[in-house]
Amino acid sequence: HEVVGVVTEVGPGAKKFKVGDHVGVGCMVFSCLKCDHCKHGDEQYCDQLIWTYNSLEDGKITFGGYSGFMVTDEKFVCRVPNNLPLDASAPLLCAGITVYSPMKHFGMTQPGKNFGVVGLGGLGHMAVKFGKAFGMKVTVISTSPNKEKEAREVLGAHNFIVSRDAAQMKKAAETMDYILDTVSAPHPLDALLELLKIDGKLVMVGLPDKPLDLPAGVIIFGRRTLAGSFIGSIKETQDMLDFCGKNNVTSMIELVPMDYVNKAMERLRKSDVKYRFVLDVEKTLK
């Protein structure tokens, strides 16, 4: 569901693309186009959304990037700027848009503002890159002190907080304008919300598998906002790719052949990747 490639053929009704164009397809390949969500350009919330993989389209299962080629309605195809390498652009179609969309929607883009990123993985490292590209002061918040060097020296984060260190968390209280939480493991939110200034915003894009434990006072007494966001629309995805082209933003990846996929899955379980594996389907098929 993070698929990039080159157009090899276009149908008679296709007008947006031509043979040879660099393009990408994200998490969805079609929606009803008629509901309020679709009409307002938020097709990712459509109840009849067809996913890029493991979904049904005309009675057939979609296989997404696990294919020799894809045939997709041009409404759900995005143009990849020519200056971006295709392999490092692929994760932008899911990880990238998942953090870019809420940053734009909730106004978390103002230069000079303090922007916190919870978690430094596939989503988190993209949030750091976007935060810096928008001109914000970026702080990575992580349970692992071992990630500080990577955050500062490789990704260029301005600050780093170990969330399990009570002294560090207390010192940073009420210093953040925005926080983007990318962590999917269960974790307390009250301490993160206390990092926000008055009127600060915390947006969740990770999906913990247990209910949140959230004391209301930490929101009420700081007039803080807690929200969530789900991937992004096609328009937002194209806007993001154009932004990446202008600012030379791509994902950090490891390109591997298809026959490495089982090993890649083993390494994923150990969090042994920075920060996305990309499968080289074309070279494998050759």
Side-chain angles (χ1 to χ4, degrees):
H1 67 284
E2 299 172 319
V3 188
V4 294
V6 178
V7 176
T8 58
E9 189 175 349
V10 295
K15 306 297 181 184
K16 289 175 58 178
F17 304 100
K18 65 182 185 302
V19 172
D21 284 349
H22 290 189
V23 296
V25 177
C27 298
M28 48 193 171
V29 291
F30 208 67
S31 65
C32 78
L33 306 178
K34 299 176 182 178
C35 68
D36 286 343
H37 300 311
C38 289
K39 289 179 180 178
H40 293 150
D42 292 315
E43 53 275 305
Q44 72 270 32
Y45 297 107
C46 176
D47 291 336
Q48 299 180 48
L49 193 67
I50 297 177
W51 300 105
T52 305
Y53 69 99
N54 203 30
S55 191
L56 286 177
E57 183 177 23
D58 297 329
K60 298 179 181 180
I61 296 177
T62 57
F63 289 98
Y66 299 111
S67 312
F69 64 91
M70 289 181 64
V71 180
T72 309
D73 189 298
E74 67 176 4
K75 296 184 184 69
F76 290 82
V77 179
C78 294
R79 186 180 305 277
V80 177
N82 288 332
N83 64 303
L84 297 181
L86 284 176
D87 53 3
S89 298
L92 298 176
L93 277 300
C94 182
I97 189 58
T98 295
V99 298
Y100 182 89
S101 173
M103 291 177 73
K104 292 287 286 187
H105 181 82
F106 291 100
M108 301 159 67
T109 59
Q110 292 94 327
K113 294 290 187 178
N114 292 320
F115 176 57
V117 178
V118 184
L120 191 61
L123 297 181
H125 94 285
M126 288 307 311
V128 173
K129 287 194 168 198
F130 283 135
K132 286 180 58 64
F134 283 124
M136 293 189 288
K137 298 177 182 177
V138 180
T139 297
V140 171
I141 305 162
S142 174
T143 59
S144 174
N146 296 331
K147 293 187 176 182
E148 180 170 5
K149 184 176 181 180
E150 180 88 10
R152 289 183 182 273
E153 298 181 10
V154 178
L155 293 170
H158 300 87
N159 297 298
F160 187 91
I161 298 173
V162 179
S163 57
R164 290 175 176 167
D165 188 320
Q168 288 188 30
M169 293 291 282
K170 183 177 181 179
K171 183 178 179 182
E174 298 188 12
T175 62
M176 305 285 172
D177 296 289
Y178 323 114
I179 295 175
L180 192 66
D181 188 344
T182 71
V183 175
S184 290
H187 59 287
L189 289 182
D190 52 345
L192 294 175
L193 286 161
E194 289 174 350
L195 298 178
L196 290 171
K197 299 176 182 178
I198 301 298
D199 292 324
K201 303 172 185 177
L202 188 153
V203 181
M204 299 187 68
V205 293
L207 197 62
D209 59 1
K210 295 181 180 179
L212 300 174
D213 182 10
L214 182 65
V218 72
I219 296 178
I220 293 171
F221 296 118
R223 202 165 61 195
R224 299 176 174 109
T225 298
L226 174 64
S229 181
F230 176 59
I231 51 177
S233 68
I234 297 301
K235 182 181 183 304
E236 287 176 317
T237 303
Q238 187 60 67
D239 289 345
M240 174 207 63
L241 288 169
D242 293 341
F243 178 85
C244 289
K246 292 176 182 177
N247 293 276
N248 197 31
V249 175
T250 55
S251 179
M252 292 176 62
I253 67 158
E254 186 174 335
L255 186 66
V256 299
M258 286 290 286
D259 58 9
Y260 188 81
V261 68
N262 289 335
K263 180 65 175 179
M265 293 301 294
E266 292 175 11
R267 289 178 54 191
L268 276 175
R269 291 186 193 86
K270 302 174 184 176
S271 298
D272 179 26
V273 59
K274 290 188 175 62
Y275 284 93
R276 276 288 197 264
F277 283 118
V278 173
L279 297 177
D280 191 344
V281 177
E282 181 185 27
K283 183 177 288 186
T284 302
L285 292 177
K286 287 181 178 178

